[in-house]
Amino acid sequence: VERIITYTRLDSEPGYEVKRLPREDWPNEGSITFRDVSLIYYPGGPQVLKNINLSIKGGEKIGVAGRTGAGKSSFVAALLRMPDADGEIMIDNVPINEMNIQEARRCISVLGQNPVLFSGSLRSNLDVLEHYQDADLLQALEDVQLKDFVENLKGQLEHELMENGANVSVGERQLICLARVLLQKSRIIILDEPTAHVDPETEQTIWKVVRDKLKDFTVITIAHRLNTIRDCEKILVFKDGEVDGFDKFESL
């Protein structure tokens, strides 16, 4: 109870009160530009990103590499405005720190190492805001090779998942989360080593979906193993919060 009360006293994120909204078709490319971007997580804290300048074209496949603490996750945090960074971050030439924070985040989807599922129906886990038709949900599940899995479930889309998806396997949890990413159709997809805890068959399925279904989207893959990013068009290497290299795999 004491911890929950403490949470209620935290300052709200800045950016919710900003009324400026992007135009309806933003973003349509998914290009990303960082200009003199630095990031500090809390007042007086260390600078975890230092004067980052880079440009990523819409639709590019970028691998992000670096040792623990080099700035890989902070790069993603800056994109998601968690917290707002100093400098300018633009998506499709629109500065994201000048618009409503929820609108700025809606163009980015994240698939992490640990799949996030909630207690409730499969449908509610895929479509939290109830935006999609059943046909869309079933198509996304088929795209991630879960069609047979769903057809064998009691109630199919109404099948109740336990907290954290405890009644399905780790691989199935991650594929459900991948189907959720496909449904959202965000122009920028962040993959944080999504195959770290899954079996080899599920790993192959995930990378096949990324190659086939996300080929027109900007995909940023945070790697802990070099094989994960070997096929990326360019590799972004971080070292001590700075860009240590940004080039093709072979060149680096």
Side-chain angles (χ1 to χ4, degrees), residues 3 13 26 76 97 100 104 120 143-144 172 179 188 197 216 246 249:
R3 182 175 295 183
E13 286 183 294
W26 176 89
V76 173
N97 63 338
N100 179 277
D143 288 342
V144 299
E172 287 159 353
I188 298 168
H197 304 308
D216 297 326
F246 189 33
F249 189 93

Side-chain angles (χ1 to χ4, degrees), residues 35-140:
R35 288 185 185 157
D36 297 323
V37 173
S38 298
L39 184 66
I40 296 171
Y41 281 116
Y42 53 90
Q47 206 173 40
V48 290
L49 291 181
K50 304 166 188 171
N51 298 319
I52 304 297
N53 288 281
L54 58 89
S55 290
I56 296 171
K57 296 175 187 171
E60 273 194 315
K61 307 297 178 278
I62 304 297
V64 181
R67 299 178 75 91
T68 300
K72 302 188 298 295
S73 297
S74 297
F75 172 67
V76 173
L79 259 182
L80 290 167
R81 297 175 62 183
M82 299 173 66
D84 273 320
D86 295 321
E88 191 171 52
I89 301 174
M90 296 194 292
I91 295 177
D92 280 10
N93 297 316
V94 178
I96 61 173
N97 63 338
E98 293 179 7
M99 67 176 72
N100 179 277
I101 195 165
Q102 285 179 297
E103 290 298 313
R105 287 172 177 162
R106 72 174 166 81
C107 67
I108 302 171
S109 290
V110 181
L111 186 66
Q113 295 183 41
N114 300 305
V116 178
L117 294 178
F118 307 98
S119 55
S121 68
L122 176 58
R123 180 199 304 280
S124 64
N125 269 280
L126 288 170
D127 184 15
V128 180
L129 300 177
E130 300 180 359
H131 282 166
Y132 304 101
Q133 304 294 323
D134 283 9
D136 299 324
L137 304 184
L138 292 170
Q139 183 60 55

